[in-house]
Amino acid sequence: MTLSAAVVAVGNELLLGDTVNTNAAWLGGALAAVGVEVVSSVMVADDLPRMVVALQRGLDDADIVLVTGGLGPTSDDITREAVAAVAGVELVRDERIVQQLTERFAAYNYPMPPDVLQQADVPVGATALDNPVGSAPGLRLPVGEQVVYALPGPPHELQAVIGVVLDELRARTGRVLHTRSVHVSGIGEPTVAERVEQAVQVPPGVALAYLAGGGVVRVRFTGTDDDVVRRLADQVADVLGDAVWGRDGAQLDQVVHRELAARGATVAVAESLTGGLLGAALSRMPGSSATFRGSLVVYATDLKETLAGVPGPLLDALGAVSAETAGALAAGARERLGATYGVGVTGVAGPSEQEGKPVGTVHLAVSGPGGADIRSVRVPGDRDRVRLIAVNSALALLWKHLAAERVAP
Amino acid sequence: MTLSAAVVAVGNELLLGDTVNTNAAWLGGALAAVGVEVVSSVMVADDLPRMVVALQRGLDDADIVLVTGGLGPTSDDITREAVAAVAGVELVRDERIVQQLTERFAAYNYPMPPDVLQQADVPVGATALDNPVGSAPGLRLPVGEQVVYALPGPPHELQAVIGVVLDELRARTGRVLHTRSVHVSGIGEPTVAERVEQAVQVPPGVALAYLAGGGVVRVRFTGTDDDVVRRLADQVADVLGDAVWGRDGAQLDQVVHRELAARGATVAVAESLTGGLLGAALSRMPGSSATFRGSLVVYATDLKETLAGVPGPLLDALGAVSAETAGALAAGARERLGATYGVGVTGVAGPSEQEGKPVGTVHLAVSGPGGADIRSVRVPGDRDRVRLIAVNSALALLWKHLAAERVAP
């Protein structure tokens, strides 16, 4: 069966714009994966009458209601009261939660403020949901044939508490949705879509989506039959060929790190317009000290020569922004930082052109024991976007270089 | 007078979790600034009956309703139909919009797909709102005493179209809200709050908020009387003294860049755990090539010696993670990259300890013509958070160093 859900996020800070409601998107994805369709998702202030209206509307809209936030120890945390009101029951103090809170504060050797105990008040008929990473337990309250779940607002607490709720929902729907994705770089979304739609026939009940951002396009199939969605993803991976750098949960920096680690190799960078962002990406993964040596951020043109070893005559003839300069940066990084592979990035982040080269010009190079790859692209967007796409394009080029070596060593 | 608003964001991608609804937060802030209180903010699928329910609830809740999204040229863009339905009117083709769309496509020398013309259909009685950056115009439709505004979903289009709406609302409320903020670094939110609350008496009608993140705390006053909120902010700035690095819209990387540019000075970095993020921050501002020379990302320990000039015996005796190493990195960056100021950062990002030093240990140093500053901190959180706070702490230390020189040159 299919279940529908209404999500209610509580907090003045969401309506005032001080906090972006990232929980809503996270919950949407997590619920879809267990066959639950979110039909409405609302933000409401810390105000009892408004919260009761929002919860009642949720019960009108959907089979289950998930409330996030308002479970803390302060006076504006009134989700417990609102849930009790909409169910028409009283709050009662739960001695087991009192005990847990007391032990939690004792373990931290910290005196427990009396207000904390309001977190032990639960609507009559509700079950507490353990919170291993915070003091606010979640709540599960049946309301007639429906169920209201109250969950903590901080994202890491929400994600720690919700496991038992997702298990319960998965058991009810019996409809686990399977998602299979194929990630590509180096070709745009329209081209990806055209090739995918020529190659595969999407059967009824399977959803196809294209998610594009930062120079990466993800092709995603969602359906109840894992064999079917996996086969579709396999077909797409075949069709998109060497533009594909990963599947499913993979991240570009992660696949590069793993590929380097698997062959005991290291990488070093010389980067200009990205200002250090490529080094930051190559050091984001835990354990990256095994694969990442360092980066020369040669923002000033003279440093490209003195630090990274780009020949002065080359800079004089072609400028700091050229494919040849990118190649020399990659070779310089590899040699001077003693790495198996070197990556060079130069270009024009904007807002204005440089050396007569337009904003968005990006030159990328990879240098390795088997030779070099150079790629030049023209990237749309503002300064932040140009820098982000330059980083992802450099990671993709490095990945492609490594993959090609694996095929033909 | 005060006006209340209901916000309705349209799009399956919001409920499925593929897109985070950042428009809601942005609108919350923009509306608060013109004296409009958002009382509900909801996300709804591209589904006509559900959209009509959401719009009707918005009209039940508030004086005005703002809808975002669903104004595009494809078949699932049905906000025009939903707005017409809730107002009980028909759609009619607006020849002025037809003309604009035709000209827009002609200007790009691109054939106009016939579906684009649905963007020229408007509910009877509605006024089109010009969209200078996209093809979908906004709509303004009075419904009895209330008004429904339909605005495009892409954030840059929303922000380009809404100006005329905000002007209209500001004129109606006559209640411009003024916001004044004081930004500090180096002290935690509880300490900031304690000092602020000892020093100032917040009058009725003024809201005080603390916004903390990434090692920065912002103290914000909001009220209708700009003199009052400015005076409160001045008092807070006095009380927090040299922890204050900026006011109002200022960003830490921006104030550092401006301070360096004002004195014709440059900065260079040698960074380890931040992997290039400090260089990225110092090169984020347009025009940063005037103040940022570059960064040595010396992730591997041996590079700290060979590239950044940290003495080998120092590394042997104290390790890569020490205050002395940070000092030597700052001095090395300054000298080897030929900058007025050098900044050094080393520490343990995690997930596991290093050289027996715990995760979150961060040592920072600034070296300049007048001497050096060194600071050691212990930062809570995961790898990403430790790196982010290390970057902001380094920027704050550099700013403080520059400010101290200005006072006593």
Side-chain angles (χ1 to χ4, degrees), chain A residues 54-96:
Chain A
L55 290 171
Q56 190 53 60
R57 286 176 179 170
L59 289 168
D60 294 344
D61 288 347
D63 300 313
I64 61 164
V65 176
L66 290 102
V67 202
T68 60
L71 293 176
T74 65
S75 61
D76 60 356
D77 290 312
I78 52 175
T79 293
R80 284 171 290 267
E81 283 80 353
V83 169
V86 84
V89 298
E90 299 293 311
L91 286 175
V92 61
R93 185 144 297 186
D94 181 324
E95 288 306 324
R96 198 179 64 94

Side-chain angles (χ1 to χ4, degrees), chain B residues 206-261:
Chain B
V206 173
L208 164 61
Y210 302 95
L211 312 172
V216 166
V217 181
R218 296 169 202 271
V219 183
R220 185 182 70 187
F221 295 97
T222 307
T224 51
D225 186 334
D226 194 29
D227 287 339
V228 170
V229 294
R230 195 194 300 117
R231 205 154 43 231
L232 287 164
D234 288 345
Q235 282 177 266
V236 164
D238 280 347
V239 163
L240 297 174
D242 64 2
V244 177
W245 54 258
R247 300 280 293 260
D248 304 328
Q251 307 275 335
L252 195 40
D253 52 2
Q254 183 190 46
V255 298
V256 166
H257 169 67
R258 288 196 184 150
E259 186 71 35
L260 289 167

Side-chain angles (χ1 to χ4, degrees), chain A residues 6 19 32 65 79 113 198 267 287 388:
Chain A
T19 303
V65 176
T79 293
Q198 275 172 7
V267 64
L388 173 67

Side-chain angles (χ1 to χ4, degrees), chain B residues 13-239:
Chain B
E13 70 282 8
L14 301 170
L15 295 174
L16 286 167
D18 295 333
T19 302
V20 173
N21 181 11
T22 55
N23 283 341
W26 188 87
L27 275 173
L31 290 167
V34 296
V36 176
E37 184 195 8
V38 177
V39 294
S40 68
S41 185
V42 62
M43 290 169 255
V44 63
D46 301 299
D47 175 276
L48 193 61
R50 291 198 192 280
M51 285 167 68
V52 171
V53 168
L55 290 171
Q56 189 54 58
R57 286 175 178 170
L59 290 168
D60 294 344
D61 288 347
D63 300 313
I64 62 165
V65 177
L66 290 102
V67 202
T68 61
L71 292 176
T74 66
S75 60
D76 59 356
D77 290 311
I78 52 175
T79 293
R80 283 172 290 269
E81 284 79 353
V83 169
V86 84
V89 299
E90 299 294 311
L91 286 175
V92 61
R93 186 143 296 185
D94 181 323
E95 288 306 325
R96 198 179 64 96
I97 303 175
V98 172
Q99 180 73 17
Q100 284 171 347
L101 290 169
T102 309
E103 284 166 10
R104 186 178 162 81
F105 277 84
Y108 281 90
N109 204 5
Y110 197 86
M112 183 167 72
D115 289 352
V116 164
L117 285 182
Q118 74 180 40
Q119 296 182 299
D121 293 340
V122 303
V124 171
T127 318
L129 308 172
D130 279 344
N131 181 345
V133 296
S135 65
L139 295 173
R140 177 191 189 282
L141 179 65
V143 179
E145 296 293 299
Q146 296 170 281
V147 184
V148 176
Y149 300 92
L151 301 162
H156 71 286
E157 294 192 33
L158 167 65
Q159 293 169 27
V161 173
I162 204 176
V164 58
V165 176
L166 295 177
D167 288 344
E168 177 181 317
L169 296 173
R170 194 185 291 112
R172 284 182 65 187
T173 63
R175 256 174 55 91
V176 180
L177 279 189
H178 297 275
T179 293
R180 297 279 170 177
S181 318
V182 177
H183 314 316
V184 302
S185 207
I187 41 178
E189 183 180 345
T191 312
V192 171
E194 202 184 311
R195 289 208 217 159
V196 168
E197 275 148 43
Q198 277 173 5
V200 304
Q201 199 74 5
V202 182
V206 173
L208 164 61
Y210 302 95
L211 312 172
V216 166
V217 181
R218 296 169 202 271
V219 183
R220 185 182 70 187
F221 295 97
T222 307
T224 51
D225 186 334
D226 194 29
D227 287 339
V228 170
V229 294
R230 195 194 300 117
R231 205 154 43 231
L232 287 164
D234 288 345
Q235 282 177 266
V236 164
D238 280 347
V239 163

Side-chain angles (χ1 to χ4, degrees), chain A residues 160-294:
Chain A
V161 172
I162 204 175
V164 59
V165 176
L166 295 177
D167 289 345
E168 178 181 317
L169 296 173
R170 194 185 291 112
R172 284 183 66 187
T173 62
R175 257 174 55 89
V176 180
L177 279 189
H178 298 276
T179 294
R180 296 279 170 179
S181 318
V182 177
H183 313 316
V184 302
S185 208
I187 42 178
E189 183 180 346
T191 312
V192 171
E194 201 183 312
R195 290 208 219 160
V196 167
E197 275 148 43
Q198 275 172 7
V200 303
Q201 199 75 5
V202 182
V206 173
L208 163 60
Y210 303 96
L211 311 172
V216 166
V217 181
R218 296 168 202 271
V219 183
R220 186 182 69 189
F221 295 97
T222 307
T224 51
D225 187 334
D226 195 28
D227 286 339
V228 171
V229 293
R230 196 192 303 113
R231 206 155 43 233
L232 287 164
D234 288 345
Q235 282 176 264
V236 163
D238 280 349
V239 163
L240 297 174
D242 64 2
V244 177
W245 53 260
R247 300 280 292 259
D248 303 329
Q251 306 276 333
L252 195 41
D253 52 2
Q254 183 190 48
V255 298
V256 166
H257 168 67
R258 288 195 184 151
E259 187 71 34
L260 289 166
R263 54 182 86 179
T266 58
V267 64
V269 176
E271 53 186 315
S272 180
L273 85 157
T274 45
L277 289 173
L278 181 55
L282 288 166
S283 58
R284 193 185 65 88
M285 295 289 300
S288 55
S289 57
T291 58
F292 177 58
R293 296 273 304 152

Side-chain angles (χ1 to χ4, degrees), chain A residues 18 41 43 220 283 383, chain B residues 18 41 43 220 283 302 383:
Chain A
D18 295 333
S41 185
M43 292 170 253
R220 186 182 69 189
S283 58
R383 189 172 169 86
Chain B
D18 295 333
S41 185
M43 290 169 255
R220 185 182 70 187
S283 58
D302 60 300
R383 189 172 168 86

